[in-house]
Amino acid sequence: MALSNIWVVAEPSNGSFTTTSLELLTQARTFGGTLSAITWGGDAGLASVAGEYGATTLYDVGDVGSALPGVPVASAIQALISSVGVPDAILIPTSYDGRDIAGRLSARLDRPVLTNITGLSDSGGLVTEHPIFGGSQTVKAHFTGEGPGIYVIRAKSFVAEASGGAPATVTAAPVGDVGTEGTASITATHVEERVGPKLEEAAVVVSGGRGLGEADKYALIEETAKLLNGAAGASRAIVDAGWVPYSHQVGQTGKTVKPTVYIACGISGATQHLVGMKGSKNIVAINKDPDAPIFQIADFGIVGDVHKVLPALIAALKARN
Ligand SMILES: Cc1cc2nc3c(=O)[nH]c(=O)nc-3n(C[C@H](O)[C@H](O)[C@H](O)COP(=O)(O)OP(=O)(O)OC[C@H]3O[C@@H](n4cnc5c(N)ncnc54)[C@H](O)[C@@H]3O)c2cc1C
């Protein structure tokens, strides 16, 4: 089945779309055919962003008020399918709202969903890639039944790149009947305080693991990250131990990062951690065990004690700055 009509759910964020949405638009553009974006919020400026990334039509669900976006957006997509026809694929970012939209849409359309996708290719229809066994193996999948296929794709699976297209034509996507789903509403939102760049977008990520020994030593990671204008990450071991919040976790069940430089400090290199950072351009590992698996993927390794290496690195960076 040729891919002639792809829809991408593009989540609005600060006058643009989230980075993952831009990554999906970029990849969908490579398949040719008609590319449409579906968003919400009624921001007129998003037409040019959608166009720059290759979409010719931007379906806008409009202001969703205090509703969970998944409810009106899934309803609007179902209504759109009834009015303009069935797309070949609906690509959705892996995010809280993205997963909510996918689940609700799956129930509404009675169609299955492919999730945790890290690769997409066109082979007479979309073929997906999914990491399994902690990222040590990849399986490929494709839909065999009636469309539309619903695909939920992980962040950093593709590189977002604008193509310089004209602004997309904005078309209203009215919300259909939401039934009792519409009775849930958001009563409060909290934005996590953060210093420095976002973990997923930072050019330098400095991550700490159990080798730090105790929670207080994570300050060494934060200070090194700050001096490098980077973000501080973590292994799951220290997130589970309560040393740092989950938002810092890199790996299979955390965030995927692809910075220019990734510095792993006191991290063994379990496959579940590697799957979230192995796409980094340059990997530096600091570990006192010369046989730690992290050294197998490191471009530069320091066999040493993080409590000695990091203070020396911090002193050198301060002297340089
Ligand atoms: C389903 C599932 C999902 C998972 N998802 C994730 C995930 O998303 N992200 C993730 O990170 N993990 C994940 N894990 C956990 C993963 O398997 C590992 O347990 C975890 O990554 C180990 O964290 P660590 O490297 O910090 O700790 P450890 O494996 O205990 O390694 C600590 C390292 O520090 C070194 N060290 C000790 N002292 C020092 C010192 N003073 N100086 C220098 N080095 C020192 C040691 O040599 C060792 O290599 C998952 C596991 C499962 C089963």
Side-chain angles (χ1 to χ4, degrees), residues 208-212 234-238 249-254 265-270 272-273 286-289 292 304-307:
R210 193 156 25 209
L212 290 170
S235 72
R236 178 166 162 176
I238 70 167
Q249 186 179 317
V250 172
Q252 183 188 332
T253 44
C265 311
I267 292 178
S268 58
Q272 295 91 352
H273 186 80
I286 306 168
N287 197 303
K288 69 177 186 186
D289 175 6
D305 184 342
V306 282
H307 306 111

Side-chain angles (χ1 to χ4, degrees), residues 206-214 217-218 220-221 233-238 243 262-270 273 284-289 292-295 302-307 309-310:
V206 185
S207 283
R210 193 156 25 209
L212 290 170
E214 55 188 90
K217 297 291 184 223
Y218 192 75
L220 291 169
I221 300 295
S235 72
R236 178 166 162 176
I238 70 167
W243 296 4
Y262 187 88
I263 308 179
C265 311
I267 292 178
S268 58
H273 186 80
V284 181
I286 306 168
N287 197 303
K288 69 177 186 186
D289 175 6
I294 191 77
F295 287 127
I302 300 170
V303 178
D305 184 342
V306 282
H307 306 111
V309 177
L310 284 177

